[in-house]
Amino acid sequence: MKLELRFFASLREALCISQESITIPATVKTIADLRTHLIERGNPWSEVLADGKVLRCALNQHMVDANTALQDGAEVAFFPPVTGG
């Protein structure tokens, strides 16, 4: 399955990448699986996307949770939660 990944704000800065086209293995079926797959790349991925970090995710520009199924050709965006004051 092919995906278009997008990274925003502090994630983009920490990973030094704003977007990437990837092909994932058949075992990666959900957003949570994708996050685990990216963490397995090692640093800085494992640090930036670590399980304890709160991240937001969108699939084809719609907010989704970690259990959302991936779709071939989809755009998956990761970004930190919005804060303000």
Side-chain angles (χ1 to χ4, degrees):
M1 179 182 323
K2 292 184 179 186
L3 300 173
E4 294 295 324
L5 304 182
R6 305 279 187 259
F7 303 97
F8 293 94
S10 61
L11 301 178
R12 177 184 64 231
E13 294 168 13
L15 295 171
C16 298
I17 187 172
S18 62
Q19 63 186 43
E20 177 182 6
S21 297
I22 66 167
T23 301
I24 56 172
T27 56
V28 177
K29 299 189 181 295
T30 66
I31 296 290
D33 294 341
L34 176 60
R35 187 171 174 176
T36 299
H37 177 72
L38 295 173
I39 287 170
E40 290 172 353
R41 289 177 163 179
N43 274 329
W45 299 90
S46 59
E47 184 177 320
V48 173
L49 302 175
D51 288 333
K53 302 260 181 162
V54 177
L55 298 177
R56 302 292 310 258
C57 191
L59 180 69
N60 293 328
Q61 301 181 3
H62 295 282
M63 297 305 299
V64 295
D65 65 30
N67 296 319
T68 301
L70 296 169
Q71 306 158 3
D72 189 39
E75 177 188 86
V76 180
F78 290 97
F79 49 96
V82 176
T83 60

